[in-house]
Amino acid sequence: MLNDAYFMRRAIAIAREAARTPGAVPIGCVIARDGVVLAEGHNQTGMDHDPTAHAEIVVIRRACSGLAEDDLRGATLYSTLQPCGMCSMASVWAKVRHIVYGAERNQVHQMYFEDRHFDTMDFIRDAFRDDISVRGGVLAEECADLYYKPGDQVPEDEQGNL
């Protein structure tokens, strides 16, 4: 049986590939069910000129399209960075069973998140979904190394959410 670290390593590899792709952001994501990858991808906001093209949204769309259904019940979403509010709610609507992420918001520069602190679990609780589990910190240091750190001076052309 494959474990969370296995799929997170794949998400990290995808994020590293994205770091070399113009317009991409190095956030990698994988959705798997029963040990099988349903879809994978990275943040494409700059590539697609679409502020909703976060890695998790891209991968949810691909998984649902590939399955020709909008129900990912039983699937696990792996992301190299703690999902934002939009991605958390997309996971709720897609009926993802588990969310596993690497770097926590306090390990990376504030530009990766909304101004206010939104906790992934708050969205899930507010959506009355007590059947979703969330596990953070999987390969956290390796994931955090993909991003600017708190206090880093980020070049202006790379800043987001600021």
Side-chain angles (χ1 to χ4, degrees), residues 26-43:
I27 299 173
C29 187
V30 173
I31 291 182
R33 183 166 55 196
D34 300 324
V36 176
V37 172
L38 301 178
E40 57 185 31
H42 56 78
N43 184 303

Side-chain angles (χ1 to χ4, degrees), residues 87-150:
C87 295
S88 297
M89 286 308 298
S91 297
V92 167
W93 283 105
K95 299 178 185 73
V96 167
R97 176 69 179 99
H98 306 284
I99 298 172
V100 178
Y101 63 89
E104 307 267 349
R105 67 184 299 131
N106 64 349
Q107 293 178 288
V108 300
H109 196 276
Q110 67 184 13
M111 75 173 187
Y112 297 107
F113 291 95
E114 302 92 348
D115 284 339
R116 288 189 52 199
H117 172 73
F118 290 114
D119 186 283
T120 303
M121 285 307 298
D122 290 340
F123 281 100
I124 293 167
R125 273 190 299 276
D126 290 346
F128 306 107
R129 289 293 306 276
D130 59 0
D131 61 336
I132 298 177
S133 69
V134 178
R135 179 175 174 225
V138 175
L139 302 179
E141 293 301 321
E142 197 172 339
C143 289
D145 286 344
L146 297 164
Y147 310 109
Y148 287 106
K149 304 292 182 266

Side-chain angles (χ1 to χ4, degrees), residues 11-108:
I12 291 168
I14 293 164
R16 287 183 178 142
E17 290 172 23
R20 297 185 300 273
T21 304
V25 177
I27 299 173
C29 187
V30 173
I31 291 182
R33 183 166 55 196
D34 300 324
V36 176
V37 172
L38 301 178
E40 57 185 31
H42 56 78
N43 184 303
Q44 296 181 196
T45 55
M47 294 171 63
D48 296 351
H49 308 292
D50 178 357
T52 69
H54 289 197
E56 298 89 343
I57 303 293
V58 167
V59 173
I60 287 170
R61 288 174 180 159
R62 287 179 182 166
C64 289
S65 178
L67 294 169
E69 59 185 58
D70 58 358
D71 188 329
L72 297 176
R73 201 176 311 262
T76 301
L77 180 143
Y78 297 89
S79 181
T80 55
L81 186 60
Q82 181 178 344
C84 71
M86 175 182 69
C87 295
S88 297
M89 286 308 298
S91 297
V92 167
W93 283 105
K95 299 178 185 73
V96 167
R97 176 69 179 99
H98 306 284
I99 298 172
V100 178
Y101 63 89
E104 307 267 349
R105 67 184 299 131
N106 64 349
Q107 293 178 288
V108 300

